Amino acid sequence: MNDSDKSAGQAAPSRRKDARRNQKTLLDAAAAVFVTSGVDAPVRDIAAKAGVGLGTIYRHFPTRADLIIGVYQHQVDACADAGPALLATSPSPHPALGQWINLFVEFLVTKHGLAAVLQADNTGFEALHAYFLDRLLPVCTELLEAAAAAGEIRPGIDAYQLMRAVGNLCIGAESDPRYDARHMAELLVAGLRRPHH
């Protein structure tokens, strides 16, 4: 590492914060465009929605796959960060768990198109799936443990099994107008409640 690298590393942290904020704006825009127009939407639509030039997008995400992976990770991060935030603001853990599962359903139903695209490149998909579990399992576990400690749900419910069950409830939901995955997931979460004798 030469001296010029060192001074670059000390570049104004505010510039780094700006870059992160711009990237977030970009990823939010891409996510919104993907949901309405699918992952093959023109990059210029994303640029227009984010209010940036095409060059900016290509600088951050040289290929469409990079952009899709960026969006996916960004959405997983948002879902993971929501867990502790909901626990902190909810009157008790069970409603926080319910709201979090709702966000998780939202993610699964709107992101199915993403997953399908990524499965074509299996190695990328496996890495993302691992990222998804690494980020979300601990959050779900924390919510379940808090709700069990508060005596609101039965103890010993496994986060992986719950997430898997919710995932199964979401299969095909986006193409069937008569089926409401969110409602079914709410029933599942309600069923976790400890029965009162």
Side-chain angles (χ1 to χ4, degrees):
M1 178 158 164
N2 62 33
D3 286 339
S4 66
D5 281 351
K6 265 216 275 298
S7 59
Q10 287 153 353
S14 67
R15 203 165 65 223
R16 256 204 307 277
K17 239 202 334 264
D18 277 351
R20 257 206 307 277
R21 200 173 39 242
N22 294 345
Q23 198 159 347
K24 183 185 177 323
T25 306
L26 231 166
L27 290 169
D28 284 335
V33 170
F34 285 168
V35 167
T36 51
S37 317
V39 289
D40 295 324
V43 175
R44 64 173 170 276
D45 292 3
I46 295 167
K49 190 167 183 68
V52 300
L54 276 177
T56 306
I57 294 192
Y58 288 123
R59 199 166 51 247
H60 286 285
F61 306 102
T63 68
R64 183 178 297 269
D66 294 326
L67 184 59
I68 293 170
I69 288 168
V71 167
Y72 189 96
Q73 290 187 333
H74 175 56
Q75 304 267 314
V76 169
D77 290 342
C79 193
D81 294 342
L86 287 167
L87 263 183
T89 53
S90 285
S92 76
H94 186 263
L97 175 67
Q99 284 175 283
W100 187 79
I101 291 291
N102 207 347
L103 287 174
F104 181 57
V105 168
E106 190 83 2
F107 170 84
L108 292 173
V109 172
T110 56
K111 293 300 156 299
H112 267 290
L114 280 183
V117 173
L118 293 163
Q119 266 162 325
D121 160 27
N122 228 319
T123 49
F125 183 73
E126 278 165 23
L128 274 183
H129 193 63
Y131 184 78
F132 171 91
L133 289 176
D134 287 347
R135 291 287 280 133
L136 298 184
L137 270 178
V139 176
C140 188
T141 301
E142 185 188 356
L143 286 157
L144 286 169
E145 284 173 354
E152 293 181 309
I153 66 169
R154 349 162 162 241
I157 294 161
D158 178 73
Y160 178 77
Q161 290 201 28
L162 177 62
M163 284 170 58
R164 192 63 212 264
V166 171
N168 288 342
L169 288 175
C170 292
I171 292 169
E174 69 271 41
S175 55
D176 183 353
R178 292 177 53 199
Y179 178 63
D180 183 353
R182 201 175 287 103
H183 180 60
M184 299 317 287
E186 274 165 18
L187 290 177
L188 175 62
V189 173
L192 301 176
R193 274 195 173 284
R194 181 191 279 275
H196 292 297
H197 296 305

